[in-house]
Amino acid sequence: MEKQQQAQQAVRNSERFLTAFHRIEQSMKDIIGTNDHLSFFKLVELSKRKNAIIRKYEEDLREYTTLRNAIVHHKTSTEYAIAEPHDEIVLALETIDEALAKPITVGQMFERNVSILQAKDTLRDALRLIREKQFTQIPVYDGNVFVGLLTAVGIMFWLANHVEKEDISWEITVESTLQHEKKKENHLFVPRDMSIYEAEELFKDAIAKGRRLEALLITDDKGLVGIVTPLDLIEIEA
């Protein structure tokens, strides 16, 4: 009885694997806009140019192709497959399938009321907000117009440039403090329907180019609706 249950479980694993594999195959065809018969490797190669999820899991997908071939080409009956995937392999492939079918967007994950500062607010106001909210990146506006992203790094540089002064004014405007941001382009505006995988790539690409990207500012037709920081994505991965 136990052996029979194990065999049934094994069949379920191989069938689940093949089902997820075929769905991924169709998803890649949809990404590149074709119904032509193409090898799985070719689909990966073409669709990764357009899709961050495929790029993230490219090596895994290529490795799973070998297992898929073993299951399909050496299956001796409807009840028995010569190569049966382990549970973790099946779950990993199903995770990729789910990510392609229903990609999680930055809007879904990070849409929230964003605390902002006005350009004429003081550094004292900024520090109080940082203390209260534990933020290290704060968008700054002049009315409804975005003027920059204030960061803990920028404030640190402002303090460093004033360390020799006996009397530091905490009443300096946030707008003036922004001048000490070493990289003025320390942010990007992104649409709320961007996938979290694309967002992750933006941070990685910035690092590769020697650029410090502090935050992605999520927008829609209503304006600023959320913010993503590198720490946010690290916590998701964890």
Side-chain angles (χ1 to χ4, degrees), residues 120-171:
K120 300 307 179 185
D121 286 338
T122 66
L123 180 57
R124 187 187 301 276
D125 296 324
L127 292 171
R128 283 173 174 164
L129 183 60
I130 290 171
R131 182 181 63 191
E132 176 187 350
K133 301 290 188 179
Q134 301 294 298
F135 294 152
T136 55
Q137 301 97 346
I138 306 172
V140 180
Y141 282 77
D142 186 357
N144 293 320
V145 179
F146 178 82
V147 295
L149 183 72
L150 182 68
T151 70
V153 173
I155 293 173
M156 180 189 70
F157 280 120
W158 180 86
L159 289 170
N161 287 329
H162 292 77
V163 71
E164 304 301 336
K165 294 186 177 181
E166 294 183 3
D167 184 24
I168 295 180
S169 173
W170 302 110
E171 303 309 313

